[in-house]
Amino acid sequence: MHEVFTKSMARNIYYGGSLFFILLFLALTFDSQTAIATRDNHENLTPQVAAGKRLWETNNCVGCHTLLGEGAYFAPELGNVYKRMGENKEAIKVWIKTRPVDGVPGRRSMPQFNFTEEQLDNIAEFLKYTSEINTNNWPPNIQG
Ligand code: HEC
């Protein structure tokens, strides 16, 4: 028998296919939204972390560093710096505090920001917080 591809068959494929992929899109969007809510560890989002994020933004750290892959490639990734520095907030604070005003000769160097002790605490809390976000193990190695 001679098979005929009719207009109504074409229409059914068009509407059926569209409906299928719209539903798939909605289901995956819902899945992403529910997964993200369990991963951002928002229960640890303290006022200190928020203040640290504000310092991160107002001092343009992202102009040199990446944070979880987002930012500039001049300086090391900082999403996991808390882990890289042995889960030690003090080490992060000391690093930021001791940057020489004139830079380090022959090296890419980081500015001296003259932060107060409280600001350093906030930044360290923020970097601890970012290191605890479930990112499916991004960055892939400890160096970032
Ligand atoms: C002008 C560019 C620049 C800016 C802006 C900058 N940094 Fe850096 N930072 C660097 C460079 C370069 C290094 C690596 C230096 C080295 O290894 O000697 C570094 C290293 C670091 C490290 C140590 C990383 C490691 O793995 O050892 C931390 C922590 C850090 N920066 C935090 C910050 C924070 C927080 C800010 C914003 C307040 C900031 N940086 C802004 C250039 C910058």
Side-chain angles (χ1 to χ4, degrees), residues 52-95:
K53 178 170 186 284
R54 229 166 288 126
L55 288 167
W56 171 267
E57 289 163 354
T58 51
N59 290 282
N60 194 26
C61 309
V62 84
C64 290
H65 291 276
T66 50
L67 191 69
L68 303 180
E70 294 286 337
Y73 297 124
F74 180 74
E77 161 71 43
L78 294 185
N80 60 348
V81 72
Y82 175 71
K83 289 184 179 150
R84 186 156 63 243
M85 290 193 166
E87 314 221 333
N88 182 349
K89 276 187 280 189
E90 212 45 48
I92 294 178
K93 289 171 58 179
V94 166
W95 166 271

Side-chain angles (χ1 to χ4, degrees), residues 12-83:
N12 287 344
I13 289 171
Y14 174 74
Y15 285 120
S18 297
L19 185 67
F20 175 76
F21 282 107
I22 287 168
L23 290 177
L24 186 63
F25 173 76
L26 290 176
L28 290 175
T29 303
F30 178 75
D31 182 61
S32 298
Q33 293 301 318
T34 34
I36 288 167
T38 64
R39 278 166 178 244
D40 66 359
N41 92 56
H42 56 273
E43 61 281 0
N44 297 340
L45 222 175
T46 60
Q48 252 193 324
V49 172
K53 178 170 186 284
R54 229 166 288 126
L55 288 167
W56 171 267
E57 289 163 354
T58 51
N59 290 282
N60 194 26
C61 309
V62 84
C64 290
H65 291 276
T66 50
L67 191 69
L68 303 180
E70 294 286 337
Y73 297 124
F74 180 74
E77 161 71 43
L78 294 185
N80 60 348
V81 72
Y82 175 71
K83 289 184 179 150

